[in-house]
């Protein structure tokens, strides 16, 4: 079993690759819900949507979000009615938000609603929201506090950022299955997602950090940063605002409490060497996922370093994982 902590865009590409390499039934995804918003009265969970669409083959590869081939007639009609249109929801995409909102209104939890939707769309991987409680990413800017979607989509991440916080996290609990999935996984992979606003909210839910520290499998991360810039989006700006360098060293620092292995791009070979000298296992690979094959190749690389022998038949995943857990126990015992 492989457990992946993920956001929406970079994470969805990686998860798509992973599902080409191992059976989807062996994947559990723990998904950021800090970006969730009420839009036109509907509950939208952008990262759960992207992951669900990626795993059901519905994701628009050109846009990286929403449903492929979707139309935007409802968006136009809402504009004519004077409603806000800055957050783009396609017509087919709306079906997801309508069904989720109805299930929530009937008293289902976000986990239950997600599982029902995944089942209907034939998604075989387990998709878990990080929490069933509301945890909201808030971005503090000189113009005031913004939700993540206001900062990112409505205002094109142009505002200077003072800080980021996760409102509601201290009272939140991990969704059912989250802690067990981390603890029992043969490997935990942090997708190439924004460390601050995609992985940060997941880590802010009490209990998740401790579970990562106690995971029996290796915890591996794929860097969303190459050189001194994010592959896309505001990860670099937000890392700087949180006092982290925008580099693979910054990614390693963000995850230092639990990280065993960092996979970074071949362009960061020199920076990787410096991190190795600090004791971290670092592997360089081609990490830009332009094609479907790139996605699968990156997933294969991460798995092969996180669990030696997983993809060959000689040494089953479980064997490697138990070797690691035995090694950890040996280190812990005097
Ligand atoms: P969000 O919820 O839409 O912000 O999605 P994620 O957090 O999952 O993805 C955004 C992050 O993915 C950004 O920080 C990008 O730098 C990173 N990213 C996007 N595409 C790629 C890629 O092909 N390779 C790598 N290494 N990172 C990527």
């Amino acid at each position: 079993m492989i457990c992946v902590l993920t956001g929406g865009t970079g994470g969805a590409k990686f998860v798509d690759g992973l599902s080409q390499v191992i059976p989807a039934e062996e994947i559990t995804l723990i998904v950021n819900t800090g970006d969730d918003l009420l839009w036109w009265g509907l509950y939208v969970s952008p990262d759960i949507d992207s992951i669900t669409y990626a795993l059901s083959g519905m994701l628009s590869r050109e846009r990286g979000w929403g449903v492929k081939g979707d139309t935007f007639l409802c968006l136009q009609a809402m504009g004519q009615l004077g409603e806000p249109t800055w957050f783009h929801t396609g017509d087919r995409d709306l079906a997801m938000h309508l069904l989720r909102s109805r299930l929530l209104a009937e008293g289902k939890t976000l986990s239950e609603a997600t599982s029902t939707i995944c089942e209907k769309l034939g998604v075989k991987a387990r998709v878990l929201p990080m929490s069933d409680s509301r945890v909201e990413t808030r971005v503090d800017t000189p113009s005031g506090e913004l939700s993540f979607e206001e900062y990112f989509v409505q205002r094109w991440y142009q505002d200077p950022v003072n800080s980021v916080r996760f409102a509601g996290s201290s009272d939140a609990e991990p969704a059912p299955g989250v802690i067990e999935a981390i603890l029992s996984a043969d490997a935990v992979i942090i997708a190439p997602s924004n460390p601050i606003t995609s992985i940060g909210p997941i880590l802010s839910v009490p209990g998740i950090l401790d579970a990562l520290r106690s995971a029996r499998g290796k915890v591996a991360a794929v860097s969303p940063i190459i050189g001194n810039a994010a592959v896309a989006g505001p990860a670099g700006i937000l890392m700087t605002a949180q006092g982290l360098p925008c580099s693979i060293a910054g990614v390693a620092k963000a995850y230092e409490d639990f990280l065993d292995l960092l996979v970074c791009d071949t362009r960061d070979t020199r920076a990787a060497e410096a991190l190795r000298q600090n004791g971290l296992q670092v592997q360089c690979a081609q990490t830009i996922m332009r094609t479907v094959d790139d996605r699968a190749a990156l997933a294969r690389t991460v798995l092969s370093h996180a669990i030696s022998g997983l993809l060959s038949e000689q040494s089953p995943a479980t064997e490697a994982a138990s070797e690691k857990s035995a090694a950890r126990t040996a280190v812990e015992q005097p």
Side-chain angles (χ1 to χ4, degrees):
M1 188 59 73
I2 303 297
C3 176
V4 184
L5 272 57
T6 181
T9 321
K13 287 197 265 179
F14 181 77
V15 165
D16 182 30
L18 194 60
S19 66
Q20 294 175 52
V21 173
I22 55 170
E25 290 84 348
E26 292 176 15
I27 307 172
T28 298
L29 290 320
I30 299 173
V31 187
N32 170 42
T33 57
D35 306 358
D36 291 10
L37 72 161
L38 272 185
W39 182 250
W40 301 337
L42 301 175
Y43 189 99
V44 180
S45 190
D47 290 356
I48 290 186
D49 294 342
S50 294
I51 294 297
T52 307
Y53 290 143
L55 289 167
S56 60
M58 295 166 70
L59 186 70
S60 164
R61 287 223 160 105
E62 299 83 63
R63 277 186 266 115
W65 54 267
V67 179
K68 65 181 168 196
D70 213 347
T71 51
F72 290 85
L73 297 173
C74 183
L75 188 77
Q76 276 174 25
M78 288 299 265
Q80 282 165 357
L81 289 171
E83 292 298 303
T85 55
W86 58 263
F87 188 77
H88 290 185
T89 45
D91 298 324
R92 290 191 189 120
D93 190 20
L94 274 175
M96 171 83 96
H97 314 316
L98 284 164
L99 177 56
R100 178 187 293 119
S101 303
R102 197 199 79 204
L103 292 169
L104 293 175
E106 286 171 0
K108 299 273 192 295
T109 62
L110 186 58
S111 303
E112 290 164 344
T114 304
S115 147
T116 302
I117 292 168
C118 284
E119 197 181 314
K120 285 174 192 275
L121 294 178
V123 172
K124 300 275 189 304
R126 222 165 141 222
V127 181
L128 304 177
M130 62 191 202
S131 176
D132 282 331
S133 327
R134 190 74 193 94
V135 176
E136 201 188 347
T137 299
R138 305 289 300 170
V139 182
D140 185 42
T141 74
S143 315
E145 228 185 28
L146 305 170
S147 73
F148 180 71
E149 296 300 343
E150 285 165 342
Y151 163 73
F152 182 55
V153 181
Q154 186 179 21
R155 299 166 71 97
W156 294 74
Y157 53 98
Q158 297 301 307
D159 298 80
V161 175
N162 299 327
S163 60
V164 177
R165 70 182 183 104
F166 309 112
S169 66
S170 52
D171 298 326
E173 283 181 11
V178 164
I179 298 297
E180 295 76 3
I182 294 172
L183 291 177
S184 65
D186 295 311
V188 180
I189 302 174
I190 315 289
S193 290
N194 189 320
I196 308 301
T197 51
S198 289
I199 305 301
I202 303 178
L203 302 181
S204 79
V205 177
I208 294 190
L209 207 51
D210 280 345
L212 286 164
R213 288 192 196 111
S214 322
R216 73 186 183 105
K218 246 185 202 172
V219 182
V222 182
S223 177
I225 306 288
I226 299 181
N228 294 108
V231 175
I237 302 166
L238 294 169
M239 285 172 74
T240 308
Q242 294 294 83
L244 293 168
C246 174
S247 63
I248 62 164
V251 177
K253 179 102 185 115
Y255 303 147
E256 67 182 350
D257 280 352
F258 51 80
L259 196 65
D260 297 307
L261 162 69
L262 180 66
V263 176
C264 65
D265 200 80
T266 42
R267 280 169 273 179
D268 278 311
T269 306
R270 220 183 276 163
E273 193 44 49
L275 285 181
R276 276 186 210 114
Q277 300 201 340
N278 294 337
L280 183 66
Q281 187 187 345
V282 187
Q283 293 293 334
C284 298
Q286 144 66 23
T287 65
I288 294 277
M289 296 173 282
R290 283 196 194 88
T291 65
V292 176
D293 289 347
D294 291 344
R295 297 170 183 200
L298 181 58
R300 204 171 282 120
T301 300
V302 177
L303 286 177
S304 66
H305 292 291
I307 309 178
S308 47
L310 178 73
L311 300 174
S312 69
E313 275 161 20
Q314 291 103 342
S315 163
T318 43
E319 208 172 291
S322 54
E323 269 168 25
K324 182 196 169 185
S325 122
R328 276 204 173 164
T329 316
V331 170
E332 278 157 18
Q333 283 170 0

